[in-house]
């Protein structure tokens, strides 16, 4: 198979959509395999999430060195992270460094927005369409669009009438935005809102935070990496990756084997205190093993965090507004923070609780709530994404017989391994719904997925096969496995993007579980079993 340009039509063995963490690595591996592969990227450069999310405060919640690609010893040796939790500009530089080092850019076309793809059964290939009117053909279509490809603005009456500066955090300008001396509003208090609020509060004349629901936040405790630590990190990469691969979500934090409800109050408090005082996601991932499944254990942890919030916020009434009451700690994505709660002790910061005083509308000068009108010079929309499946609903993806992927997923996603799709031959979704990468320290899961897909394509090629599609039975079994595993988790009982809820998007008000919550080790084992049984559950032709 070769890129065929003789007829003016470009044909590839594989087309990859997206040049973020997964697209770059998939390109590297498929090229190594000798395939003709082309990557199309909507942005003007590599980096995906790290290309778009340039808002001040954007940074890792993963330990930087645990987020690195593990596939090249040379890359691990050459690259030096400056902080334990690197900020966005550094991560973007890292991905640019990777693209340069492995000369990936020559096979990437930038500023190319895919709008859809139709399966052509006779030719066994995908016809892929772009916003500029062009099209290409590929035997395999591999989407590497991540889970956060579709930012959503708040559905507020009059939103577009606002005449001041306004930015969604994921569509941030490629130039510095100055907050000094300005009246700034931030709408949204998810992981992104928390990061941006901490930064804006430093220089804005006034900052008004519009909070619809508070989230449970915990300290990030970032700091620079010392030369001695740098040496230890480089010498210890193998152990770091081995640890990540054994943990539930690919982070360097292994869950405690005890149950919170079975230990003494002193023992419980001691672990909570220890984890609250340590950097990163330990408080979420290395906690007692029952805190995400047993409501009693979760209530004990939530109570501990609530006490921490009260101790950090001077005004008790504001502290109460910042403490979630409708969900427990860790049942939604935990924002990690640096002095986030202390921001509310500053005289220039005001918390607007939208449960008490909802937004009525936006006007050319600002925001009107039931408590009155507020004028702003700049509004930040930290209002999140139509996460995971949202990137697919905007694509005109049609499989065998013209069936549309959005219709197939109308009642919730159905997939095989979160990677392959019945009715959509040769379509591979690298970070698709029901795939471990949706709830993961991304590169750890992405590497596993890319390597699995690469082996699959190598196998097909070696045997001259050109078509793979999972069976309906295999998809049923996988979907049941995903939903059964999730049923025990408290996070399925709460509205959040984990469950596909986004009230700014029509039709996204019902919970439809989008993640994979059986853990990375189980996911990897299941994928390995399928490969070992010569891709059992699929039809190869
Ligand atoms: P999230 O976690 O979806 O947070 C979005 C925030 O915006 C959240 O606080 C929402 O409140 C708020 N929001 C959304 N729409 C509105 C309207 N219409 N009015 C007021 N407030 C609103 O997105 P993030 O970008 O923070 O994080 C996404 C993921 O990216 C993150 O988990 C990381 O893994 C990377 P709500 O809670 O819905 O009441």
């Amino acid at each position: 198979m070769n890129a065929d340009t003789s007829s003016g039509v470009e044909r590839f063995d594989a087309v990859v959509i997206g040049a973020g963490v997964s697209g770059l690595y998939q390109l590297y591996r498929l090229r190594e395999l000798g395939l003709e592969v082309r990557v199309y990227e909507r942005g003007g450069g590599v980096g995906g999430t790290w290309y778009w999310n340039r808002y001040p405060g954007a940074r890792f919640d993963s330990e930087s060195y645990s987020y690195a690609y593990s596939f090249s010893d040379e890359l691990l040796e050459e690259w030096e992270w400056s902080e334990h939790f690197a900020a966005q500009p550094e991560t973007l530089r890292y991905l640019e460094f990777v693209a340069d080092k492995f000369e990936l850019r020559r096979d990437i076309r930038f500023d190319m927005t895919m709008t859809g793809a139709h399966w052509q059964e006779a030719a066994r290939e995908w016809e892929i369409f772009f916003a500029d009117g062009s099209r290409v053909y590929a035997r395999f279509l591999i989407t590497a669009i991540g889970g956060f490809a579709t930012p959503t603005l708040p559905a507020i009456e009059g939103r577009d009438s606002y005449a001041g500066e306004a930015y969604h955090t994921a569509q941030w300008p490629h130039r510095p935005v100055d907050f000094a001396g300005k009246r700034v509003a931030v709408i949204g208090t998810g992981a992104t809102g928390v990061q941006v609020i901490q930064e804006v509060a430093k220089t804005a004349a006034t900052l008004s935070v519009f909070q619809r629901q508070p989230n449970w936040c915990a300290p990030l405790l970032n700091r620079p990496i010392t030369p001695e630590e740098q040496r230890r990190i480089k010498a210890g990469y193998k152990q770091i990756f081995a640890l990540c691969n054994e943990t539930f979500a690919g982070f360097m934090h292994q869950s405690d084997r005890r149950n919170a409800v079975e230990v003494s109050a002193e023992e419980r408090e001691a672990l909570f205190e220890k984890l609250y005082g340590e950097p990163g996601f330990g408080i979420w991932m290395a906690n007692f093993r029952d805190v995400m499944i047993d409501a009693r254990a979760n209530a004990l942890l939530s109570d501990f965090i609530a006490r921490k919030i009260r101790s950090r916020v001077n005004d008790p009434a504001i502290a109460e507004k910042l403490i979630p009451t409708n969900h427990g700690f860790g049942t939604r994505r935990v924002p990690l923070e640096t002095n986030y709660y202390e921001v509310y002790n500053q005289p220039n910061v005001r918390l607007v609780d939208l449960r008490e005083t909802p937004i009525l509308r936006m006007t050319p000068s600002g925001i009107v709530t039931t408590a009155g009108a507020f004028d702003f010079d700049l509004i930040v929309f930290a209002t999140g994404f139509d996460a995971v499946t949202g990137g697919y609903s905007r694509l005109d993806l049609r499989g065998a017989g013209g069936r549309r992927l959005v219709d197939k997923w109308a009642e919730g996603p159905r997939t095989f391994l979160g990677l392959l799709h019945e009715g959509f031959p040769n379509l591979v979704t690298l970070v698709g719904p029901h795939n471990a990468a949706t709830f993961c320290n991304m590169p750890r899961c992405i590497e596993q997925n890319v390597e699995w897909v690469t082996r699959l394509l190598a196998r097909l090629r070696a045997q001259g096969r050109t078509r793979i599609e999972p069976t309906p039975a295999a998809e049923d079994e996988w979907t049941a496995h995903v939903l059964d595993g999730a049923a025990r988790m408290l996070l399925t009982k709460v509205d959040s993007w984990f469950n596909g809820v986004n009230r700014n998007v029509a039709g996204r008000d019902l919970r439809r579980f989008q993640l994979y919550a059986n853990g990375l080790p189980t996911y990897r084992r299941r994928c390995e079993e399928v490969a070992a049984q010569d891709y059992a559950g699929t039809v190869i032709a």
Side-chain angles (χ1 to χ4, degrees), residues 11 47 90 138 154 187 257 270 292 297 314 322 334 339 349 367 453:
R11 283 207 143 74
E90 185 168 339
I187 302 181
R257 303 194 74 78
M292 294 297 290
N314 296 344
L322 291 165
V334 175
N339 295 327
V349 177
I367 298 172
V453 169

Side-chain angles (χ1 to χ4, degrees), residues 105-312:
R105 288 177 213 266
R106 68 179 146 91
D107 290 319
I108 307 175
R109 297 294 173 272
F110 296 103
D111 301 308
M112 289 291 287
T113 301
M114 174 193 174
T115 53
H118 298 171
W119 174 248
Q120 306 296 353
E121 187 64 63
R124 289 191 175 175
E125 64 186 5
W126 284 95
E127 181 176 18
I128 304 160
F129 306 95
F130 297 91
D132 68 356
S134 62
R135 67 185 64 189
V136 298
Y137 296 84
R139 175 120 302 146
F140 292 93
L141 171 61
I142 303 177
T143 57
I145 62 174
F148 304 108
T150 314
T152 48
L153 289 164
I156 300 173
E157 188 193 319
R159 186 193 68 217
D160 296 335
S161 71
Y162 176 67
E165 274 183 274
Y167 310 109
H168 190 288
T169 46
Q171 293 163 331
W172 201 260
H174 290 209
R175 56 170 169 77
V177 173
D178 190 13
F179 304 106
K182 291 182 185 163
R183 299 162 302 170
V184 181
V186 175
I187 302 181
T189 50
T192 302
V194 166
Q195 288 188 330
V196 80
I197 286 163
Q198 295 163 183
E199 289 304 310
V200 176
K202 289 177 184 167
T203 54
T206 64
L207 166 62
S208 302
V209 175
F210 289 82
Q211 174 189 268
R212 192 164 64 179
Q213 291 179 74
N215 282 299
W216 296 100
C217 311
L220 175 67
L221 300 172
N222 183 35
R223 58 185 174 77
I225 293 174
T226 65
E228 173 50 28
E229 285 172 332
Q230 196 73 258
R231 273 192 293 279
R232 268 191 278 131
I233 289 164
K234 287 197 177 175
Y237 266 125
K238 276 206 166 49
Q239 290 89 318
I240 291 171
F241 297 133
L243 168 62
C244 290
N245 285 338
E246 281 165 21
T247 62
F248 184 78
F251 292 96
M252 298 174 58
H253 304 283
Q254 185 63 282
S255 146
D256 195 283
R257 303 194 74 78
R258 295 168 295 170
N259 282 326
V261 296
E262 285 167 3
V263 299
S264 69
E266 291 73 29
E267 223 176 318
R268 202 162 46 227
E269 199 74 2
L271 181 65
F272 290 165
E273 275 294 351
K274 173 176 170 292
L275 295 174
Y276 198 80
E278 288 176 354
F281 272 143
I283 189 80
W284 197 13
M285 300 289 164
N287 222 304
F288 294 107
R289 63 178 187 168
D290 54 350
V291 297
M292 294 297 290
I293 47 181
D294 181 333
R296 294 168 305 158
N298 187 271
L300 293 164
L301 175 57
S302 300
D303 176 65
F304 170 85
I305 305 286
R307 281 184 271 133
K308 288 291 182 195
I309 297 172
R310 289 187 189 107
S311 75
R312 293 174 55 184

Side-chain angles (χ1 to χ4, degrees), residues 8-69:
V9 173
E10 289 196 286
R11 283 207 143 74
F12 299 94
D13 296 326
V15 156
V16 177
I17 304 298
V21 176
S22 58
L24 291 178
Y25 186 41
Q26 189 69 78
L27 168 59
Y28 173 83
R29 282 289 176 212
L30 293 185
R31 201 202 253 170
E32 193 181 54
L33 208 62
L35 297 194
E36 289 292 341
V37 50
R38 168 74 61 79
V39 176
Y40 290 94
E41 163 58 52
R42 182 164 51 112
V46 300
T49 285
W50 302 104
Y51 174 87
W52 295 103
N53 286 269
R54 293 165 186 253
Y55 62 87
R59 72 169 61 243
F60 282 149
D61 288 332
S62 309
E63 285 73 5
S64 309
Y65 27 91
S66 79
Y67 194 95
Y69 287 116

